[in-house]
Amino acid sequence: VSAMLSDRNLIMISGKDDYSFPIHSTTEAFNRIEAIFKKAGNEKNCKSIVTPKGHYWCKDIVWDAIMEKTTEMGWWK
């Protein structure tokens, strides 16, 4: 599935202290996905963000990343 999505943008957001989705597991999953994106030549489409909290929406961190990517794509000026 990751190979089929590699031409699209993926921002994976994980909380450092998230007990529902432990950071070691999300990091391992991201590393596998990133390797697939790289092999497809689309490593620029794959980004991981680790927030300093748990299972919590850190809007300042998350929205900055989303705005950066959508601006890069030409959605915003």
Side-chain angles (χ1 to χ4, degrees):
V1 174
S2 297
M4 292 187 300
L5 298 175
S6 72
D7 63 333
R8 299 177 185 205
N9 291 295
L10 170 71
I11 300 174
M12 186 169 153
I13 301 159
S14 308
K16 179 178 69 88
D17 297 324
D18 189 340
Y19 298 108
S20 300
F21 300 93
I23 193 65
H24 68 276
S25 297
T26 57
T27 300
E28 183 180 324
F30 178 78
N31 290 340
R32 290 179 182 178
I33 293 167
E34 183 181 41
I36 292 166
F37 274 57
K38 282 183 180 178
K39 192 166 189 170
N42 294 317
E43 60 269 14
K44 69 183 183 319
N45 293 347
C46 189
K47 181 176 185 171
S48 174
I49 296 172
V50 177
T51 67
K53 297 189 178 189
H55 197 86
Y56 178 81
W57 183 261
C58 296
K59 63 182 176 181
D60 54 334
I61 297 169
V62 174
W63 283 116
D64 285 349
I66 291 170
M67 290 301 295
E68 177 184 332
K69 186 49 88 172
T70 55
T71 300
E72 179 184 305
M73 294 168 57
W75 293 9
W76 306 102
K77 294 183 180 183

